[in-house]
Amino acid sequence: MSADVEPHAKRAGAVPAAPTRKAPGLPLTERLIATPVVLPLLTFAVILVLWEVATRVFAVPSFILPAPSRIIDGFGAVPPARWSAHVWATLRVALLGYLVAIVVSLPIAIGLAKSRLMSRALYPLLVVIQSVPVVAVAPIIIVVLGTDDAPRVVITFMIAFFPLVVSMTTGLMATPPELIELSRSLRAPGYREISQIRLPYAVPYIFSGLKISVTLAVIGAVVAEFVAADVGIGFFIQFSTSMFRLPQAWAGLVVLVAMSLILFQAVSLAQRVFFPWSLPKERR
Amino acid sequence: MPLAPNAIDFNAVGQVFATQSGPLTALDAVNLSIAQHEFVAVLGPSGCGKSTLLRLTAGLMLPSEGQVSVFRHPVTRPRDDVGIVFQQPTLLPWANVLDNVTFPARHKRGRVSALDRDRAAEVIAAVGLKGFEARLPAELSGGMQQRVGIARALFLNPDILLMDEPFSALDALTRDAMGYELLKLWQASPKTVMFITHSIPEAVLLADRVIVMSARPGRIIADLQVPLGRPRDELALRAPEVQDFAAHLRELLIAKEPAL
């Protein structure tokens, strides 16, 4: 019996491994594969250089494809205060829409997972809503709700909401049936089946939905700004293009990508910090 | 030994499930009595309704026909005095060993008292996991995880322990060790055990009595006393009459197993 109970005694008693001399001896390609950050950065740098060289050699006009150096200049065309106003406007709408999507999708997902009746009644409707191209509805929503943040938050919500409902519902249904039986055999109140079993079990699923949705929320905010806004990165890109200031528009694009990446990483970080058990072992 | 009252009674129990391809008879006219503190193994091929037997006893489902009683009371809903160990440990991956064992208290009553924690420490020690209270399930071996599953079932100190192929997911060595461990637990604190298995050696090692079932519809085709005293060890298991008994069980199972 003690054989499988004392892994630590075994570990402590083990002879310390000889200092590994593997790393320096490895060929360069192996070492690059072993470091997950270096390789993509290197690829990216190579692409930037090629891009820069190509635009100069072939004298590509900047409204077709500005060189990376021109795009960097584009950042300077607008004062920092203006940049932060744009970033804040987009970020605010994206996060608000995202939050509304989370708050709305959770009870719906619980309903879908718990009640076949609700699932039958609601699910087709949700699919129809998801099938409506949000870009096409955006102008209508703006007309109905006016031109402040509200319509933009609604548009963002509409884009971010569906993956959340699907991932939450899938997660809530992914609980091992034995645990539900255990819950029933204890005659525990139904809400505890949700709060103590189903919801925590759904955490990995919920986070994959949260990650998809946070980047969709940025897209939603930008789409809304395309339709009606006087501030925000989406507005800035549209405005810059209409003025033929393409390097500046590209700079806006870079900011958007950075924003999406940071939000995505923030969600990943939240999962690692608060729910480390929900990650596959090798990523804890 | 004085005649103990029956802990579990099945009276002409039938169970029919509605499936897409029509009704499926899982159990047919099952009569079965299990005495208090008796260790009964239910042996049968897959799909013979062994698990249905267990779920009916647990009050997780109601029979289509007949009646299931626990301590002479018809089972109409889950009872407090029945503990279940599942085939998979099915622990909460976010909760450590202690929190997994006290889960029934937290889940049923919404809180874990100091008394509950004492009781948890007791059962954790009984299953040999003292010192592992703060570990997460992912940090434990399969055998250790199932010990937590057993500790969780013992936590509320049930009179009846229902075990649904609890060791079938373990490797052969761990499985044997867990069998002996379970016997020790059972002898230290006697309980009525219904142990579902499809392993003949396991049934012979553990049980006072072996119920053999046939596949669809699930019927009891034999109800046999194991010709072995207690405590049991490797040596006793090798006795010729025990080997004959195991061979007999095998014949019963093969005769009823549909041709492959």
Side-chain angles (χ1 to χ4, degrees):
Chain A
M1 229 39 214
S2 61
D4 71 332
V5 185
E6 295 175 339
H8 278 261
K10 238 189 263 171
R11 214 178 291 160
V15 181
T20 172
R21 46 161 213 88
K22 251 185 190 169
L26 282 173
L28 183 65
T29 52
E30 295 282 318
R31 257 188 292 162
L32 281 176
I33 289 167
T35 51
V37 187
V38 178
L39 207 52
L41 279 182
L42 212 64
T43 316
F44 188 58
V46 169
I47 289 172
L48 281 183
V49 169
L50 286 178
W51 179 352
E52 183 78 38
V53 170
T55 49
R56 280 169 194 244
V57 168
F58 301 110
V60 181
S62 75
F63 61 87
I64 303 264
L65 181 68
S69 57
R70 294 290 310 276
I71 295 173
I72 293 168
D73 291 343
F75 281 100
V78 182
R82 197 71 196 127
W83 269 120
S84 50
H86 289 312
V87 167
W88 170 237
T90 306
L91 193 63
R92 189 181 61 221
V93 168
L95 287 181
L96 270 175
Y98 185 52
L99 280 182
V100 174
I102 294 170
V103 170
V104 172
S105 57
L106 188 61
I108 291 181
I110 290 175
L112 289 178
K114 277 294 279 185
S115 144
R116 276 168 68 92
L117 187 75
M118 233 183 118
S119 147
R120 287 280 155 80
L122 263 184
Y123 201 75
L125 201 66
L126 288 175
V127 175
V128 169
I129 292 175
Q130 167 66 11
S131 310
V132 174
V134 176
V135 185
V137 196
I140 301 173
I141 293 174
I142 303 266
V143 169
V144 174
L145 292 176
T147 50
D148 57 354
D149 270 359
R152 290 193 278 276
V153 169
V154 169
I155 292 165
T156 306
F157 157 80
M158 283 183 71
I159 286 192
F161 155 82
F162 193 71
L164 277 175
V165 173
V166 172
S167 62
M168 283 181 184
T169 310
T170 311
L172 289 170
M173 311 271 282
T175 316
E178 289 93 341
L179 278 176
I180 303 305
E181 288 194 322
L182 179 67
S183 173
R184 285 183 51 214
S185 79
L186 292 166
R187 283 180 284 121
Y191 68 87
R192 270 195 216 129
E193 179 196 305
I194 299 282
S195 67
Q196 295 187 347
I197 300 178
R198 285 192 188 267
L199 260 184
Y201 245 101
V203 161
Y205 296 85
I206 292 176
F207 265 95
S208 58
L210 285 174
K211 283 184 214 163
I212 297 170
S213 282
V214 81
T215 54
L216 287 177
V218 175
I219 296 176
V222 170
V223 165
E225 286 168 4
F226 279 176
V227 179
D230 48 13
V231 66
I233 303 289
F235 160 79
F236 175 75
I237 291 175
Q238 208 187 28
F239 172 78
S240 303
T241 355
S242 67
M243 305 298 277
F244 245 58
R245 293 180 194 151
L246 266 295
Q248 206 174 293
W250 277 83
L253 196 62
V254 170
V255 171
L256 272 185
V257 171
M259 194 188 286
S260 282
L261 283 177
I262 290 169
L263 289 175
F264 182 90
Q265 289 301 331
V267 175
S268 303
L269 184 70
Q271 184 177 13
R272 267 204 305 282
V273 171
F274 298 113
F275 307 97
W277 53 265
S278 71
L279 292 164
K281 250 184 188 169
E282 61 274 14
R283 286 181 45 216
R284 275 178 203 172
Chain B
M1 203 162 88
L3 209 63
N6 282 348
I8 304 171
D9 283 292
F10 278 68
N11 194 353
V13 170
Q15 186 68 297
V16 181
F17 293 113
T19 68
Q20 301 236 304
S21 51
L24 175 84
T25 308
L27 289 179
D28 185 33
V30 169
N31 288 298
L32 173 66
S33 290
I34 298 176
Q36 195 174 11
H37 297 172
E38 195 174 18
F39 197 129
V40 172
V42 180
L43 186 67
S46 332
C48 71
K50 303 187 295 263
S51 292
T52 307
L53 222 55
L54 184 138
R55 278 166 179 76
L56 286 169
T57 312
L60 290 169
M61 53 170 79
L62 296 177
S64 322
E65 290 163 37
Q67 193 172 64
V68 180
S69 312
V70 168
F71 294 117
R72 302 207 186 107
H73 293 286
V75 176
T76 53
R77 57 173 197 170
R79 299 167 55 103
D80 287 344
D81 50 5
V82 174
I84 311 174
V85 181
F86 299 99
Q87 186 167 3
Q88 300 291 332
T90 50
L91 306 175
L92 309 173
W94 56 88
N96 64 25
V97 169
L98 180 67
D99 290 342
N100 262 295
V101 172
T102 54
F103 176 73
R106 197 165 52 259
H107 198 56
K108 195 176 171 61
R109 299 193 285 267
R111 55 186 291 273
V112 177
S113 66
L115 220 64
D116 289 329
R117 265 185 284 274
D118 290 347
R119 170 67 186 158
E122 202 177 297
V123 286
I124 287 171
V127 299
L129 285 179
K130 209 176 157 116
F132 290 86
E133 290 84 350
R135 297 294 183 85
L136 290 178
E139 299 167 339
L140 304 177
S141 68
M144 290 164 85
Q145 289 184 24
Q146 193 54 291
R147 286 154 187 260
V148 180
I150 293 172
R152 179 178 67 191
L154 293 176
F155 171 73
L156 292 177
N157 200 15
D159 295 312
I160 295 174
L161 191 57
L162 304 174
M163 307 185 85
D164 191 2
E165 306 192 31
F167 306 145
S168 63
L170 304 176
D171 63 85
L173 282 178
T174 313
R175 187 175 184 155
D176 285 353
M178 292 287 283
Y180 284 108
E181 196 83 350
L182 177 63
L183 280 183
K184 256 194 264 167
L185 278 175
W186 177 71
Q187 260 141 7
S189 151
K191 298 193 181 307
T192 310
V193 181
M194 185 193 266
F195 190 99
I196 310 288
T197 181
H198 54 237
S199 158
I200 292 169
E202 197 168 66
V204 173
L205 167 67
L206 297 174
D208 296 316
R209 220 169 108 202
V210 179
I211 309 289
V212 185
M213 293 189 68
S214 67
R216 279 178 202 128
R219 285 199 186 95
I220 293 179
I221 53 172
D223 182 343
L224 305 162
Q225 289 288 328
V226 178
L228 249 179
R230 295 188 189 271
R232 295 174 180 177
D233 54 24
E234 300 279 342
L235 203 69
L237 282 175
R238 264 179 275 159
E241 67 268 27
V242 177
Q243 292 297 315
D244 289 349
F245 180 70
H248 179 53
L249 289 178
R250 199 163 293 121
E251 274 161 30
L252 283 169
L253 277 182
I254 290 166
K256 287 292 167 181
E257 189 95 59
L260 292 174

